[in-house]
Amino acid sequence: MNKKFFDRDARIVARDLLGYEIRRRIGPRVVRAVITETEAYVGPHDKASHAHRGLTKRTAPMFGNPGTIYVYLVYGMHHCLNLVTREKGYPAAVLIRAVRLLPSGTLINGPGRAARALSITTFFNNKNILTDKRLILGPRYLTPKRIHTTPRIGVPYAGEWAHKPLRFLIE
DNA sequence: GGTGCGATTGCA
DNA sequence: GCAATCGCACCA
């Protein structure tokens, strides 16, 4: 896993991340999970993206280097984990919406639950998954046979962008 | 300085 | 069906 992996269109990265292992190190303990659902937020023209309104304090991480971790708080209580794609200065990211814990295989559905399962808070905001010791991508755990595609969840305000097939799932 | 709401979740 | 709960974008 390297910078080039993330320096690509968010749609490509969102599909490629499916089946990869993500590891959260908490002291001596490691939480392992397989990414099973993602969404792509493709650029500043994407009306569903936080970056649609431009560079703000909140969205600054989305304009960062490939592999930058973007964590935000929604509804005052849930954290959402995103990985920034494309070159520095171009805001795009992939939202991690679901994972399967290893080795149990327990499915953790929903971005808030997935972030919580990995103990992700805003501590990780603006860090980089390529260099951080506490959150890393592991090896590919499986190669998806079939990738299902649907519109993204919870973005009815995004006009035409609400319908675009930018949510990706396996199993 | 004030206001409104969200890339959600859990419970009635 | 709806309350929870807060950082921040936006307006004044």
Side-chain angles (χ1 to χ4, degrees):
Chain A
M1 188 62 52
N2 56 64
K3 199 167 180 176
K4 284 216 156 190
F5 180 91
F6 288 103
D7 191 6
R8 296 182 295 166
D9 188 290
R11 284 165 283 221
I12 303 298
V13 178
R15 296 178 70 100
D16 264 10
L17 280 172
L18 298 173
Y20 266 92
E21 194 176 319
I22 190 167
R23 293 178 180 164
R24 168 75 165 99
R25 180 172 191 142
I26 308 168
R29 178 183 162 75
V30 177
V31 177
R32 300 167 59 220
V34 181
I35 298 170
T36 60
E37 181 182 335
T38 58
E39 279 179 0
Y41 291 82
V42 302
H45 55 299
D46 178 354
K47 293 199 182 79
S49 174
H50 291 163
H52 181 236
R53 310 241 171 220
L55 175 61
T56 66
K57 182 178 178 182
R58 180 205 207 188
T59 62
M62 291 188 75
F63 291 75
N65 286 307
T68 296
I69 299 166
Y70 170 44
V71 179
Y72 62 90
L73 187 65
V74 263
Y75 299 101
M77 52 183 83
H78 306 295
H79 294 284
C80 290
L81 170 63
N82 300 258
L83 301 175
V84 172
T85 76
R86 295 204 43 173
E87 71 276 12
K88 184 177 175 63
Y90 188 93
V94 174
L95 171 67
I96 307 299
R97 288 196 57 92
V99 299
R100 269 191 197 277
L101 294 179
L102 294 175
S104 70
T106 306
L107 177 63
I108 308 293
N109 256 336
R113 284 187 287 259
R116 196 171 58 181
L118 294 166
S119 297
I120 301 298
T121 66
T122 52
F123 169 83
F124 285 99
N125 193 39
N126 212 30
K127 293 192 166 27
N128 196 300
I129 198 167
L130 299 172
T131 56
D132 200 274
K133 303 272 193 296
R134 290 152 293 204
L135 184 67
I136 66 168
L137 277 174
R140 181 181 275 295
Y141 182 82
L142 58 85
T143 302
K145 283 198 172 71
R146 188 162 197 159
I147 298 177
H148 298 270
T149 305
T150 80
R152 291 171 293 184
I153 304 298
V155 293
Y157 50 81
E160 61 189 292
W161 286 90
H163 321 301
K164 292 185 186 286
L166 295 174
R167 174 175 175 238
F168 307 96
L169 313 84
I170 54 177
E171 288 152 282

